[in-house]
């Protein structure tokens, strides 16, 4: 009987704590004023709303090439680490967004396959899904990937690239950004 009463008390305390988000309602910690508790609550709410703004966290910038001696176009590779294709119609990508330059919008029907890649050419003209209306500055640039709501899904600032080098995450999607001497469009990144 004592054991079940203790278990009930522990369960009630656990449920009460979970229902109030791990905080006691209408009370403050010892030595904390109501104003401090309200500020803490506001900060927690802001952090939670920022985390909830992410639409999809399986699509990332993965590799960028802005200089190529073969005469090929600049390109940006996206990678999807998820187990399902992701529709990126309405997502946006660009450089100079922090300076007020409008991003290029992926057309309806654009998607990144499950566990795969999407290669986007940065041609400087808005002609097709494969051709964004901006170019990559090989001497240094910042590229932004935004979800349809305009929230940042991913961003990177690339270092100066020599011809035939790329700016790549090694390993794919999760690694640090570094210069690669062996660009790998639509394939696993190499150092």
């Amino acid at each position: 009987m004592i054991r079940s009463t203790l278990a009930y008390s522990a369960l009630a305390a656990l449920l009460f704590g979970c229902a109030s988000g791990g905080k006691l309602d209408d009370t403050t910690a010892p030595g904390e004023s109501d104003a401090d508790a309200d500020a803490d609550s506001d900060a927690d709410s802001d952090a939670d709303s920022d985390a909830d703004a992410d639409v999809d966290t399986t699509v990332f910038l993965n590799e960028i090439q802005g200089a190529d001696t073969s005469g090929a176009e600049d390109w940006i590779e996206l990678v999807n680490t998820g187990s399902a294709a992701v529709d990126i119609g309405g997502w946006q990508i660009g450089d100079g967004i922090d300076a007020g330059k409008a991003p290029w919008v992926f057309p309806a029907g654009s998607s990144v396959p499950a566990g795969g890649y999407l290669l986007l050419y940065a041609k400087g003209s808005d002609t097709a899904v494969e051709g964004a209306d901006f170019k990559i500055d090989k001497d240094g640039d910042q590229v932004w990937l935004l979800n349809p709501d305009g929230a940042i899904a991913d961003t990177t600032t690339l270092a100066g690239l020599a011809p035939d080098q790329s700016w790549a995450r090694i390993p794919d999607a999760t690694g640090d950004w570094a210069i690669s001497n062996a660009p790998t469009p639509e394939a696993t990144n190499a150092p």
Side-chain angles (χ1 to χ4, degrees), residues 67-114:
D68 187 347
T69 58
S70 70
E73 299 289 340
D74 299 351
W75 51 264
I76 300 166
E77 177 188 76
L78 303 181
V79 64
N80 177 2
T81 60
S83 58
V86 175
D87 178 356
I88 59 168
W91 285 48
Q92 306 162 60
I93 193 166
D95 66 343
I97 291 172
D98 57 338
K101 185 177 175 186
W104 182 80
V105 179
F106 285 91
S110 302
S111 68
V112 185

Side-chain angles (χ1 to χ4, degrees), residues 99-155:
K101 185 177 175 186
W104 182 80
V105 179
F106 285 91
S110 302
S111 68
V112 185
Y117 306 91
L118 175 72
L119 197 63
L120 173 73
Y121 291 98
K123 297 183 174 198
S125 64
D126 191 8
T127 56
V129 69
E130 296 88 18
D133 63 351
F134 64 93
K135 301 281 286 168
I136 302 298
D137 183 350
K138 67 180 179 64
D139 294 325
D141 209 345
Q142 186 164 16
V143 177
W144 305 72
L145 178 64
L146 309 173
N147 69 32
D149 296 329
I152 298 170
D154 201 5
T155 186

